[in-house]
Amino acid sequence: MKPQNLLHRPFTAQKCTIGCPVLDRCLGGGIPCNSITELVAESGLGKTQFCLQLSLSAQLPTSYGGLSASSIYLHTEFPFPIRRLHQLSAAFRSSKSSILANNDHDPCDYIYVQSVQSVDHLLDIMPNIESFIRNSKSRLPIRLIVIDSIAALFRSDFENTPADLKKRSSLFFKISGKLKAMAVGFGLAIVVTNQVVDLVGPNEGINGLRVGNLGCLYSSGRRVCPALGLAWANCVNSRLFLSRNEDFGGEEMVNGSGEDFVSRRTRRWLHVVFAPHLPDLSCEFEIQRDGVFGVGR
Ligand SMILES: Nc1ncnc2c1ncn2[C@@H]1O[C@H](COP(=O)(O)OP(=O)(O)OP(=O)(O)O)[C@@H](O)[C@H]1O
């Protein structure tokens, strides 16, 4: 197998719609099964919004881009945003009522939420998750696992010492190895969220190391890089980066009280950092009451 041959080999994995045609187009159809997709961004950018929406979209029939599937949502940050899930679920139910096979379909019934307290806890429950998937009698089999967020699990338990960093890296590979085996074994789409850390100092050494399509990652005017470092970057198949920037209107405007101000708005972007099946693409998105949508839909 030569690298060039990979370009000619069609990527046949099934994909799960993210619930918006513009975002799906950017992602070549959605989030792929049989692999791990990482969503990395600073706090408040919308990682959880994407994951909640994906858990709902996965329930759509395959003819509508879904997986006809339930999902397992492992959350490591508290509290779980149950009110937001209900809000998105209600919007999903009313907009997709003609597509959902069963009129009594409550989308929240097909999202199994489990809190995870630590890395050891995650490793402990993995065999249970596997047997739950294998033995589930649900009308919609489980085809999606979300871990929101993987970074939070590692943030507090490890020091910055060589021994701890080594232990941490070996746990990354242990977790990702088990996740990949489940992804391939059950045809699952697995999505993990990750946070970013600020990069300071010169653009050389480890700071200058380029991983994927983008030379540097910027968000809110700061240079950032995904948390958990290079070892973790090797544990995921695809990495998507969410960023934001302030767009100043440029023109001075006057408000109702006669005060001058410069109009500005926050713009959010989705970038493909690396993925075996995708080119270097970006797409602007917005978070609305009814969900996450690409701009220009
Ligand atoms: N009902 C809503 N209507 C519009 N926007 C919303 C709504 N609920 C949440 N948001 C937007 O979603 C953002 C929070 O997104 P989210 O919780 O997914 O961030 P995150 O990247 O997961 O952050 P963290 O890393 O802190 O968990 C808010 O800043 C807000 O802009």
Side-chain angles (χ1 to χ4, degrees):
M1 170 68 72
K2 292 184 177 162
Q4 300 90 295
N5 297 356
L6 283 171
L7 296 173
H8 302 301
R9 238 174 43 155
F11 185 82
T12 51
Q14 193 181 359
K15 313 242 179 60
C16 178
T17 174
I18 231 166
C20 162
V22 176
L23 295 171
D24 282 347
R25 218 173 302 129
C26 182
L27 298 177
I31 300 294
C33 295
N34 309 336
S35 73
I36 304 178
T37 301
E38 183 198 60
L39 206 49
V40 60
E42 64 173 297
S43 180
L45 242 162
K47 301 181 290 294
T48 301
Q49 309 301 309
F50 266 94
C51 293
L52 294 174
Q53 183 159 309
L54 186 67
S55 306
L56 294 165
S57 305
Q59 297 172 27
L60 290 171
T62 47
S63 52
Y64 287 87
L67 301 173
S68 287
S70 305
S71 49
I72 294 178
Y73 201 110
L74 304 175
H75 73 102
T76 64
E77 292 174 308
F78 302 88
F80 176 76
I82 190 75
R83 285 179 60 186
R84 180 60 173 148
L85 175 60
H86 283 151
Q87 189 179 43
L88 291 172
S89 168
F92 174 77
R93 198 174 176 176
S94 71
S95 67
K96 303 288 191 281
S97 58
S98 59
I99 299 173
L100 296 168
N102 184 342
N103 279 341
D104 297 333
H105 184 104
D106 180 351
C108 293
D109 289 347
Y110 298 93
I111 302 174
Y112 301 98
V113 179
Q114 160 83 53
S115 68
V116 181
Q117 325 284 341
S118 65
V119 174
D120 287 340
H121 187 202
L122 178 62
L123 287 167
D124 281 352
I125 62 171
M126 274 189 172
N128 305 348
I129 291 175
E130 198 170 329
S131 86
F132 185 61
I133 295 173
R134 182 171 288 115
N135 301 320
S136 169
K137 300 272 187 297
S138 166
R139 188 170 63 81
L140 304 182
I142 292 153
R143 298 281 310 278
L144 170 69
I145 295 181
V146 172
I147 304 181
D148 183 16
S149 84
I150 194 81
L153 288 179
F154 286 93
R155 209 165 29 196
S156 50
D157 287 356
F158 296 86
E159 302 275 326
N160 218 0
T161 60
D164 260 20
L165 289 175
K166 190 167 164 228
K167 189 171 157 213
R168 207 178 72 143
S169 297
S170 83
L171 284 169
F172 291 162
F173 287 102
K174 196 167 173 187
I175 290 172
S176 70
K178 284 179 191 287
L179 288 175
K180 277 181 189 163
M182 276 202 278
V184 173
F186 298 109
L188 306 177
I190 298 190
V191 176
V192 298
T193 67
N194 191 5
Q195 279 136 5
V196 295
V197 291
D198 281 358
L199 264 182
V200 286
N203 192 15
E204 43 193 56
I206 190 81
N207 277 359
L209 196 66
R210 173 173 172 161
V211 178
N213 297 322
L214 307 169
C216 295
L217 306 184
Y218 282 94
S219 189
S220 300
R222 303 191 322 264
R223 211 167 124 231
V224 296
C225 78
L228 308 184
L230 201 52
W232 175 254
N234 283 285
C235 291
V236 298
N237 302 98
S238 306
R239 169 170 279 173
L240 308 174
F241 172 57
L242 309 181
S243 71
R244 75 176 144 209
N245 66 291
E246 293 292 333
D247 194 9
F248 293 92
E251 285 172 36
E252 281 208 2
M253 299 166 86
V254 180
N255 67 13
S257 323
E259 295 158 339
D260 289 346
F261 70 97
V262 178
S263 67
R264 69 172 195 186
R265 74 183 172 110
T266 301
R267 300 178 73 180
R268 297 175 203 249
W269 303 86
L270 166 73
H271 312 270
V272 176
V273 179
F274 60 78
H277 60 298
L278 291 176
D280 172 10
L281 282 171
S282 296
C283 163
E284 187 174 358
F285 71 93
E286 286 174 349
I287 306 174
Q288 299 170 5
R289 192 179 184 282
D290 290 352
V292 184
F293 301 102
V295 171
R297 74 185 155 125

